[in-house]
Amino acid sequence: MRAVRNTAPGFSVLSVALLLACMLPWPPSAASAARELTLEQALELAQQHSPVLKAARQDLRSAEAQRQIARSAYMPKLEAVEAWTNTNNPAQAFGILLNQGRFTQAGFDIGTLNRPGSTENYRSALNLTQPVYNGGRERLGLRIAEVGHAASTEGVESTRQQVLFTVTRAYYDLALAKAVLGIARETVQIAEANAKQIASRYKGGTTVKSDLLQAEVRLAAVREEAIRADQMVRVAAIALRHAIGLDEPVDVVEGLTAGELRPHDLESALATALESRPDYRMLAAELRKAEMATQLAKSAYLPNFNLQGSFENNSTFPLGPNGQTNYAALGVVSVNLFNGMQDAAQVRKARAQEEKARELLAAKRREIEVEVVEAYYALAAARERLAVSERAVAQAEENLRIIRNRYESGMASVLDLLTAELVLNQAKHNRMRALYDERIGQARQELVTGQFRKGAG
């Protein structure tokens, strides 16, 4: 029994999910109502409906907004102010009367100057500030935003490729599960035929009851295998639906077939990965951002020069005609001489972040090299296994035919017959697993080199 259970290929599905799928009822009409998809259709739908990809696109929208924020630093700032003042402060009251144009000779009275009483003012003003030079912070801010937008673009592309690869793998998971179910059903038919043949021989007295019992045990085992395979199809279908981002049942119309041979040179694959991988390009952009952030921190030591202007009306009530208007124009130069060593600390912090980004980029480069090499040899091994498994299936089928004839003529034992059946079952599983690994291996090689469905978004 243990050998029989080990014939089914492993699946990357949690045992809990399988248990739940077994417990939940499966309507007979669900399979027929499933939306049948080609791989291309599944990938197209994923680009429209995947919540992971939708979330990544929000990062790009945020980066676009940040770029607009950075551009606004060059623009003038216009502010409207309405201020109300009520005071008996002598200096303020004196100034209010002057601003309102209501100061008279009587105002020079010593008693009035010292005790002006309650004085009220409504100040309506427009204040204008035009940045001219602030240590280059406007320019650096815009450059950082531009690089941040480029990094977000690469991040979206990286997420898109990852999502499409996940959908591709889920698609072939379902295709494999259906193929395994087909093999299991074929195996059940073979086991039923063998059991029927052995039962006929037992009734004819040409074999012993133990042979019949062994055949019945084998038949029960393969039927159990078919039940598990059926459950795996249901779980794989749900996994594909959620990978795409759909709420309706889906099914695949493409089976597992060998892909087109696309030989890649390992060195060129490594070069392509470092040039095209969006996650590597994103980290390179993050390094450029960190370098400019260091320059931005250093700009605090540079002088600032800005133009300011204001136009105001002061009166006893808002925009009242009994007041007076005035204006002011200023050119302001400021230099940061000392602020408690905060600027120096900010520079050190920016440099630390820059070094961190540089090390992360170096680590990603090493990670990419490992992934490319691993994918390269995994695909090569899958193609070699596929060639071997094709021959093995043909040999196992011929072996079963020969053993069945030998058993019928009394020249082979029932154990030989059941073993031949088991060998054929295993050979078919190995061929399907090799086909699956070849398809996934091809997709993974495209993913790790940054070429997976490139330009398809």
Side-chain angles (χ1 to χ4, degrees), residues 172-197:
Y172 286 127
D173 281 345
L174 180 54
L176 175 62
K178 292 178 67 175
V180 169
L181 177 59
I183 293 172
R185 288 171 175 171
E186 290 176 2
T187 303
V188 169
Q189 292 176 355
I190 293 173
E192 287 174 343
N194 288 339
K196 184 177 180 179
Q197 180 185 29

mmCIF file of all heavy atoms in Angstrom, residues 172-197:
data_model
loop_
_atom_site.group_PDB
_atom_site.id
_atom_site.type_symbol
_atom_site.label_atom_id
_atom_site.label_comp_id
_atom_site.label_asym_id
_atom_site.label_seq_id
_atom_site.Cartn_x
_atom_site.Cartn_y
_atom_site.Cartn_z
ATOM 1 N N TYR A 172 -0.766 25.675 -14.892
ATOM 2 C CA TYR A 172 -0.179 24.355 -15.130
ATOM 3 C C TYR A 172 -0.379 23.423 -13.943
ATOM 4 O O TYR A 172 -0.380 22.196 -14.106
ATOM 5 C CB TYR A 172 1.294 24.504 -15.474
ATOM 6 C CG TYR A 172 1.529 25.041 -16.872
ATOM 7 C CD1 TYR A 172 2.344 26.145 -17.092
ATOM 8 C CD2 TYR A 172 0.912 24.459 -17.970
ATOM 9 C CE1 TYR A 172 2.552 26.649 -18.367
ATOM 10 C CE2 TYR A 172 1.108 24.954 -19.252
ATOM 11 C CZ TYR A 172 1.920 26.054 -19.443
ATOM 12 O OH TYR A 172 2.106 26.553 -20.710
ATOM 13 N N ASP A 173 -0.539 23.974 -12.736
ATOM 14 C CA ASP A 173 -0.900 23.131 -11.591
ATOM 15 C C ASP A 173 -2.229 22.436 -11.849
ATOM 16 O O ASP A 173 -2.382 21.236 -11.591
ATOM 17 C CB ASP A 173 -1.013 23.974 -10.316
ATOM 18 C CG ASP A 173 0.339 24.302 -9.708
ATOM 19 O OD1 ASP A 173 1.340 23.662 -10.085
ATOM 20 O OD2 ASP A 173 0.397 25.202 -8.848
ATOM 21 N N LEU A 174 -3.191 23.218 -12.363
ATOM 22 C CA LEU A 174 -4.497 22.625 -12.664
ATOM 23 C C LEU A 174 -4.386 21.647 -13.837
ATOM 24 O O LEU A 174 -5.011 20.575 -13.812
ATOM 25 C CB LEU A 174 -5.506 23.734 -12.982
ATOM 26 C CG LEU A 174 -6.930 23.277 -13.332
ATOM 27 C CD1 LEU A 174 -7.495 22.364 -12.256
ATOM 28 C CD2 LEU A 174 -7.834 24.492 -13.545
ATOM 29 N N ALA A 175 -3.600 22.014 -14.847
ATOM 30 C CA ALA A 175 -3.412 21.098 -15.972
ATOM 31 C C ALA A 175 -2.772 19.786 -15.507
ATOM 32 O O ALA A 175 -3.169 18.693 -15.935
ATOM 33 C CB ALA A 175 -2.548 21.754 -17.047
ATOM 34 N N LEU A 176 -1.793 19.887 -14.612
ATOM 35 C CA LEU A 176 -1.145 18.689 -14.079
ATOM 36 C C LEU A 176 -2.127 17.872 -13.246
ATOM 37 O O LEU A 176 -2.173 16.641 -13.366
ATOM 38 C CB LEU A 176 0.072 19.087 -13.241
ATOM 39 C CG LEU A 176 0.791 17.946 -12.523
ATOM 40 C CD1 LEU A 176 1.347 16.935 -13.526
ATOM 41 C CD2 LEU A 176 1.908 18.476 -11.635
ATOM 42 N N ALA A 177 -2.906 18.551 -12.411
ATOM 43 C CA ALA A 177 -3.860 17.837 -11.571
ATOM 44 C C ALA A 177 -4.877 17.070 -12.427
ATOM 45 O O ALA A 177 -5.224 15.922 -12.118
ATOM 46 C CB ALA A 177 -4.579 18.821 -10.648
ATOM 47 N N LYS A 178 -5.329 17.712 -13.516
ATOM 48 C CA LYS A 178 -6.269 17.023 -14.406
ATOM 49 C C LYS A 178 -5.597 15.850 -15.113
ATOM 50 O O LYS A 178 -6.222 14.789 -15.310
ATOM 51 C CB LYS A 178 -6.822 18.017 -15.426
ATOM 52 C CG LYS A 178 -7.736 19.076 -14.813
ATOM 53 C CD LYS A 178 -8.230 20.066 -15.855
ATOM 54 C CE LYS A 178 -9.161 19.429 -16.849
ATOM 55 N NZ LYS A 178 -9.733 20.410 -17.802
ATOM 56 N N ALA A 179 -4.323 16.031 -15.479
ATOM 57 C CA ALA A 179 -3.592 14.932 -16.127
ATOM 58 C C ALA A 179 -3.406 13.770 -15.162
ATOM 59 O O ALA A 179 -3.558 12.595 -15.537
ATOM 60 C CB ALA A 179 -2.242 15.431 -16.635
ATOM 61 N N VAL A 180 -3.077 14.075 -13.910
ATOM 62 C CA VAL A 180 -2.907 13.028 -12.893
ATOM 63 C C VAL A 180 -4.230 12.311 -12.651
ATOM 64 O O VAL A 180 -4.271 11.083 -12.480
ATOM 65 C CB VAL A 180 -2.356 13.640 -11.592
ATOM 66 C CG1 VAL A 180 -2.427 12.629 -10.449
ATOM 67 C CG2 VAL A 180 -0.922 14.096 -11.799
ATOM 68 N N LEU A 181 -5.316 13.091 -12.656
ATOM 69 C CA LEU A 181 -6.631 12.462 -12.497
ATOM 70 C C LEU A 181 -6.920 11.525 -13.677
ATOM 71 O O LEU A 181 -7.449 10.422 -13.490
ATOM 72 C CB LEU A 181 -7.711 13.542 -12.398
ATOM 73 C CG LEU A 181 -9.159 13.046 -12.308
ATOM 74 C CD1 LEU A 181 -9.352 12.155 -11.082
ATOM 75 C CD2 LEU A 181 -10.129 14.220 -12.273
ATOM 76 N N GLY A 182 -6.551 11.955 -14.877
ATOM 77 C CA GLY A 182 -6.737 11.083 -16.041
ATOM 78 C C GLY A 182 -5.924 9.807 -15.929
ATOM 79 O O GLY A 182 -6.415 8.707 -16.248
ATOM 80 N N ILE A 183 -4.681 9.945 -15.460
ATOM 81 C CA ILE A 183 -3.844 8.753 -15.273
ATOM 82 C C ILE A 183 -4.451 7.837 -14.218
ATOM 83 O O ILE A 183 -4.473 6.604 -14.370
ATOM 84 C CB ILE A 183 -2.419 9.167 -14.868
ATOM 85 C CG1 ILE A 183 -1.734 9.892 -16.027
ATOM 86 C CG2 ILE A 183 -1.604 7.958 -14.437
ATOM 87 C CD1 ILE A 183 -0.394 10.500 -15.641
ATOM 88 N N ALA A 184 -4.963 8.444 -13.141
ATOM 89 C CA ALA A 184 -5.558 7.649 -12.060
ATOM 90 C C ALA A 184 -6.769 6.869 -12.573
ATOM 91 O O ALA A 184 -6.962 5.699 -12.227
ATOM 92 C CB ALA A 184 -5.960 8.571 -10.913
ATOM 93 N N ARG A 185 -7.564 7.511 -13.409
ATOM 94 C CA ARG A 185 -8.734 6.818 -13.959
ATOM 95 C C ARG A 185 -8.317 5.709 -14.917
ATOM 96 O O ARG A 185 -8.935 4.630 -14.926
ATOM 97 C CB ARG A 185 -9.635 7.826 -14.664
ATOM 98 C CG ARG A 185 -10.370 8.748 -13.684
ATOM 99 C CD ARG A 185 -11.098 9.875 -14.388
ATOM 100 N NE ARG A 185 -11.881 10.672 -13.457
ATOM 101 C CZ ARG A 185 -12.477 11.823 -13.749
ATOM 102 N NH1 ARG A 185 -12.354 12.319 -15.002
ATOM 103 N NH2 ARG A 185 -13.180 12.475 -12.849
ATOM 104 N N GLU A 186 -7.278 5.958 -15.708
ATOM 105 C CA GLU A 186 -6.763 4.899 -16.577
ATOM 106 C C GLU A 186 -6.240 3.733 -15.750
ATOM 107 O O GLU A 186 -6.445 2.553 -16.103
ATOM 108 C CB GLU A 186 -5.652 5.454 -17.462
ATOM 109 C CG GLU A 186 -6.119 6.433 -18.531
ATOM 110 C CD GLU A 186 -4.943 7.025 -19.302
ATOM 111 O OE1 GLU A 186 -3.796 6.633 -19.017
ATOM 112 O OE2 GLU A 186 -5.177 7.882 -20.193
ATOM 113 N N THR A 187 -5.566 4.070 -14.657
ATOM 114 C CA THR A 187 -5.014 3.027 -13.788
ATOM 115 C C THR A 187 -6.132 2.214 -13.155
ATOM 116 O O THR A 187 -6.014 0.984 -13.003
ATOM 117 C CB THR A 187 -4.137 3.664 -12.692
ATOM 118 O OG1 THR A 187 -3.116 4.446 -13.299
ATOM 119 C CG2 THR A 187 -3.488 2.598 -11.823
ATOM 120 N N VAL A 188 -7.222 2.893 -12.787
ATOM 121 C CA VAL A 188 -8.375 2.182 -12.233
ATOM 122 C C VAL A 188 -8.925 1.208 -13.279
ATOM 123 O O VAL A 188 -9.254 0.051 -12.963
ATOM 124 C CB VAL A 188 -9.458 3.180 -11.782
ATOM 125 C CG1 VAL A 188 -10.774 2.434 -11.464
ATOM 126 C CG2 VAL A 188 -8.990 3.944 -10.552
ATOM 127 N N GLN A 189 -9.024 1.656 -14.521
ATOM 128 C CA GLN A 189 -9.530 0.780 -15.579
ATOM 129 C C GLN A 189 -8.625 -0.430 -15.773
ATOM 130 O O GLN A 189 -9.106 -1.570 -15.946
ATOM 131 C CB GLN A 189 -9.651 1.565 -16.879
ATOM 132 C CG GLN A 189 -10.729 2.643 -16.855
ATOM 133 C CD GLN A 189 -10.761 3.463 -18.130
ATOM 134 O OE1 GLN A 189 -9.911 3.296 -19.010
ATOM 135 N NE2 GLN A 189 -11.736 4.359 -18.245
ATOM 136 N N ILE A 190 -7.300 -0.191 -15.748
ATOM 137 C CA ILE A 190 -6.354 -1.298 -15.897
ATOM 138 C C ILE A 190 -6.492 -2.258 -14.725
ATOM 139 O O ILE A 190 -6.517 -3.496 -14.902
ATOM 140 C CB ILE A 190 -4.916 -0.764 -16.006
ATOM 141 C CG1 ILE A 190 -4.740 0.008 -17.313
ATOM 142 C CG2 ILE A 190 -3.909 -1.911 -15.925
ATOM 143 C CD1 ILE A 190 -3.404 0.709 -17.421
ATOM 144 N N ALA A 191 -6.593 -1.698 -13.511
ATOM 145 C CA ALA A 191 -6.708 -2.544 -12.314
ATOM 146 C C ALA A 191 -8.012 -3.325 -12.336
ATOM 147 O O ALA A 191 -8.069 -4.495 -11.913
ATOM 148 C CB ALA A 191 -6.617 -1.681 -11.060
ATOM 149 N N GLU A 192 -9.086 -2.689 -12.811
ATOM 150 C CA GLU A 192 -10.369 -3.392 -12.909
ATOM 151 C C GLU A 192 -10.277 -4.536 -13.926
ATOM 152 O O GLU A 192 -10.808 -5.637 -13.685
ATOM 153 C CB GLU A 192 -11.467 -2.409 -13.314
ATOM 154 C CG GLU A 192 -11.862 -1.451 -12.198
ATOM 155 C CD GLU A 192 -12.847 -0.401 -12.668
ATOM 156 O OE1 GLU A 192 -12.970 -0.208 -13.901
ATOM 157 O OE2 GLU A 192 -13.494 0.228 -11.821
ATOM 158 N N ALA A 193 -9.607 -4.270 -15.050
ATOM 159 C CA ALA A 193 -9.462 -5.335 -16.051
ATOM 160 C C ALA A 193 -8.630 -6.485 -15.505
ATOM 161 O O ALA A 193 -8.967 -7.676 -15.725
ATOM 162 C CB ALA A 193 -8.812 -4.762 -17.306
ATOM 163 N N ASN A 194 -7.543 -6.133 -14.798
ATOM 164 C CA ASN A 194 -6.710 -7.199 -14.217
ATOM 165 C C ASN A 194 -7.489 -7.992 -13.170
ATOM 166 O O ASN A 194 -7.407 -9.230 -13.112
ATOM 167 C CB ASN A 194 -5.461 -6.595 -13.584
ATOM 168 C CG ASN A 194 -4.479 -6.100 -14.632
ATOM 169 O OD1 ASN A 194 -4.517 -6.520 -15.786
ATOM 170 N ND2 ASN A 194 -3.592 -5.193 -14.234
ATOM 171 N N ALA A 195 -8.244 -7.256 -12.320
ATOM 172 C CA ALA A 195 -9.021 -7.936 -11.279
ATOM 173 C C ALA A 195 -10.075 -8.848 -11.902
ATOM 174 O O ALA A 195 -10.328 -9.958 -11.418
ATOM 175 C CB ALA A 195 -9.679 -6.908 -10.359
ATOM 176 N N LYS A 196 -10.686 -8.385 -12.983
ATOM 177 C CA LYS A 196 -11.690 -9.201 -13.670
ATOM 178 C C LYS A 196 -11.054 -10.448 -14.268
ATOM 179 O O LYS A 196 -11.617 -11.550 -14.185
ATOM 180 C CB LYS A 196 -12.349 -8.365 -14.766
ATOM 181 C CG LYS A 196 -13.487 -9.077 -15.496
ATOM 182 C CD LYS A 196 -14.127 -8.154 -16.519
ATOM 183 C CE LYS A 196 -15.268 -8.859 -17.241
ATOM 184 N NZ LYS A 196 -15.933 -7.978 -18.248
ATOM 185 N N GLN A 197 -9.871 -10.268 -14.846
ATOM 186 C CA GLN A 197 -9.173 -11.417 -15.436
ATOM 187 C C GLN A 197 -8.804 -12.424 -14.350
ATOM 188 O O GLN A 197 -8.975 -13.646 -14.532
ATOM 189 C CB GLN A 197 -7.925 -10.937 -16.163
ATOM 190 C CG GLN A 197 -7.128 -12.049 -16.825
ATOM 191 C CD GLN A 197 -5.828 -11.548 -17.425
ATOM 192 O OE1 GLN A 197 -5.275 -10.574 -16.930
ATOM 193 N NE2 GLN A 197 -5.358 -12.207 -18.468
#
